Amino acid sequence: MRKPAFPALLTAWLLSAPAHAMYLNANGEGQVLLFPLYSTEAGNDTHLHITNGSTDYKAVKVRVLEGMNSRTVLSFNLYLQPNDAWTGALVRTAGGAKLVSSDSSCTVPRIERTNGLELSASAYQGNDYAAGQGGPQDEARTRLGHIEVIEMGVLPADMVLTGLVTGSAAQVASALDDGGRSGDCSELRSAFAAGGLWERDPGAGVLPASGGLYGTSTLINVEKGNEDGIGALALEGFWPANASQHTRPEVDAPRLDAGATEVIFADGSKTTFSRGIDAVSALLMTPWLKNDYAYGVGLNAETDWVVTYPTKAFYVTPALSGSGSARAPFSHAWTSSRGGTACDRLPISAYDRVGHLIGSSDNDLCWATNVISLNDSDIVGHGSVGLILSDARYQAGWLRIDQPSKDFRLQSASGRSVYGLPATGFAVTRIQNGDVGGLLSNYSAAWPHKVSRKLSSSGGGSGSGSGSGSGTGN
């Protein structure tokens, strides 16, 4: 497994760390990628790039999750050659959204170049809130959410993909390309059909995951002339030692709860959790989020914040949490209240550029992906997950969302506490400068939120332990 570059003081320690311990790779490569947002609202398309930076053949699960309660609206298998990159775009349709791609990397099912793959509302339709259903039932809900990418394993270059192959082994290199350089993917897809190797056993021949994936997404608004790039968070060491889990594309596995239970934090400390999902959440826990904003200030500025909780459904949906009420660190279960919510009330404070606190209020963040807009800002689009901060005093400065340590914490198997909520996201600001000398002068930029990791020194702790740190998260 390739090892990322870390600060010099941690390098020697990490080289001796167990290969199956999970950590958040600051360099952006790993076995799991977490994209905080896709949006086809407000005139946006979302372009995705998933790159295999390794020399292995990869089997990858791509799962598109709607923003209210992370219900799966599209799942497919992606197969990448060494040093291969796949691209696709989520675009709006009359009723909802779809994925389109002209890339030649293999997918199962195939993404038809003309029609694409429609995002489906079926996973949330119904009123069984304990099972994660409920909320708005229409396809429009599929237009905004977040994405997870999980490496399922490595394919040997000489794998026999079907039981019908005779003679020499079929070369995966000639199968992992959809008409671009060498093949048409039919051999790979036939492995899931009658008589195929993976029809009998999807895990047959698949080797342990090796990492090296990275991803970016780009919000493109053609009408307004804006483009904003966003990097995916990367988890390395997600899988326990020598593990892989290759499944059919329609199977809801592997998920974020399938990985290792031991984590390495940025300060070099290790902690083991009882559940794999808690290990993922621990690496994302933060007691606050900070970022800039601008609104008006003579340049028609707008700002949207995106706050995503990639693991939230595993704590608020009874079918996933194993509890009728929310599990820590979240406080409320997915419910029919207000049309489908699982809310945590959090203080949001606004400061101006000279450090004055100009406003503070408690606000409910109710969904897996939350879009917080200043006044009438509408860069990302609100969909069903919008929150508006209406205050004419908010002109330029920075915002802080507190996820207080006294209210939100996650405990490890040994009783060590990690404080806050497992959050990621970014702020995006757009400035419309109008027609300048016949040129369209619109500008925009996205910045990842600034976060912190706060750990108790040992045991349950009171939140004042020495294991604190800060950093930037996507």
Side-chain angles (χ1 to χ4, degrees):
M1 180 184 300
R2 67 171 59 203
K3 290 183 169 62
F6 262 63
L9 292 177
L10 296 179
T11 300
W13 188 91
L14 283 169
L15 288 174
S16 64
H20 56 275
M22 190 190 317
Y23 59 91
L24 187 62
N25 188 348
N27 294 324
E29 283 194 333
Q31 298 173 352
V32 170
L33 304 176
L34 303 175
F35 294 83
L37 176 80
Y38 76 87
S39 176
T40 63
E41 299 279 15
N44 292 297
D45 295 334
T46 301
H47 291 243
L48 302 174
H49 298 250
I50 300 171
T51 300
N52 175 16
S54 78
T55 56
D56 294 325
Y57 296 94
K58 299 283 189 182
V60 177
K61 180 76 72 174
V62 180
R63 190 174 287 116
V64 181
L65 307 164
E66 55 80 31
M68 293 192 74
N69 195 32
S70 296
R71 302 296 288 171
T72 300
V73 294
L74 180 64
S75 177
F76 65 94
N77 289 2
L78 171 64
Y79 296 89
L80 296 171
Q81 298 185 65
N83 307 309
D84 192 6
W86 173 86
T87 62
L90 290 158
V91 301
R92 189 183 183 101
T93 64
K98 67 180 180 180
L99 175 70
V100 297
S101 177
S102 58
D103 196 284
S104 61
S105 300
C106 286
T107 63
V108 182
R110 183 173 187 170
I111 303 173
E112 296 292 342
R113 299 192 181 194
T114 302
N115 299 320
L117 289 176
E118 295 281 342
L119 275 55
S120 171
S122 61
Y124 54 76
Q125 289 180 331
N127 293 305
D128 187 350
Y129 280 82
Q133 298 174 350
Q137 302 285 285
D138 58 12
E139 291 181 344
R141 180 172 157 185
T142 68
R143 290 175 175 158
L144 188 151
H146 58 109
I147 298 167
E148 62 188 32
V149 174
I150 302 176
E151 181 185 351
M152 295 185 287
V154 168
L155 306 183
D158 61 351
M159 174 179 274
V160 176
L161 291 172
T162 75
L164 306 178
V165 172
T166 60
S168 61
Q171 294 295 309
V172 174
S174 68
L176 298 189
D177 194 84
D178 200 5
R181 293 182 291 276
S182 50
D184 62 1
C185 298
S186 59
E187 185 180 349
L188 185 141
R189 293 188 183 109
S190 69
F192 288 103
L197 177 68
W198 293 331
E199 187 269 339
R200 301 187 299 271
D201 178 7
V206 179
L207 302 175
S210 62
L213 298 175
Y214 74 87
T216 59
S217 61
T218 307
L219 283 176
I220 295 180
N221 191 314
V222 174
E223 180 180 350
K224 295 185 177 180
N226 291 117
E227 173 181 292
D228 296 289
I230 306 145
L233 284 182
L235 300 177
E236 188 57 283
F238 173 80
W239 288 110
N242 301 317
S244 64
Q245 188 180 10
H246 183 241
T247 62
R248 298 185 64 87
E250 70 274 11
V251 172
D252 192 26
R255 305 181 308 190
L256 291 180
D257 59 348
T261 56
E262 185 176 37
V263 301
I264 306 172
F265 294 106
D267 64 356
S269 62
K270 292 188 298 181
T271 304
T272 300
F273 291 85
S274 300
R275 304 189 306 158
I277 195 63
D278 293 339
V280 174
S281 294
L283 293 172
L284 303 177
M285 294 282 280
T286 176
W288 44 254
L289 301 164
K290 299 175 183 177
N291 218 326
D292 293 346
Y293 72 89
Y295 179 81
V297 293
L299 292 172
N300 296 316
E302 301 176 76
T303 297
D304 281 351
W305 269 42
V306 173
V307 178
T308 293
Y309 301 108
T311 62
K312 183 173 183 176
F314 290 89
Y315 299 90
V316 305
T317 303
L320 294 174
S321 69
S323 172
S325 57
R327 293 183 65 148
F330 292 94
S331 58
H332 292 89
W334 175 245
T335 174
S336 60
S337 174
R338 294 165 55 184
T341 58
C343 299
D344 291 289
R345 175 148 287 201
L346 304 175
I348 302 180
S349 303
Y351 297 83
D352 65 18
R353 287 180 174 169
V354 293
H356 298 137
L357 176 64
I358 56 174
S360 182
S361 61
D362 290 342
N363 294 268
D364 288 331
L365 272 66
C366 296
W367 301 288
T369 298
N370 303 268
V371 179
I372 304 171
S373 298
L374 290 187
N375 298 303
D376 61 353
S377 295
D378 190 22
I379 302 173
V380 168
H382 300 154
S384 303
V385 295
L387 170 66
I388 297 174
L389 298 181
S390 296
D391 194 320
R393 296 174 299 168
Y394 293 4
Q395 293 291 304
W398 63 279
L399 293 175
R400 171 177 174 143
I401 298 180
D402 283 302
Q403 302 177 145
S405 299
K406 65 183 179 65
D407 298 321
F408 303 106
R409 73 174 184 175
L410 183 65
Q411 280 194 308
S412 70
S414 63
R416 189 177 190 189
S417 294
V418 190
Y419 297 96
L421 287 172
T424 182
F426 60 93
V428 56
T429 295
R430 174 191 295 157
I431 295 174
Q432 296 176 317
N433 208 18
D435 186 335
V436 180
L439 300 176
L440 181 65
S441 300
N442 292 350
Y443 312 97
S444 63
W447 299 276
H449 296 318
K450 287 52 163 181
V451 300
S452 174
R453 309 296 177 214
K454 186 173 184 179
L455 316 172
S456 64
S457 55
S458 62
S462 61
S464 58
S466 60
S468 298
S470 62
T472 300
N474 290 350

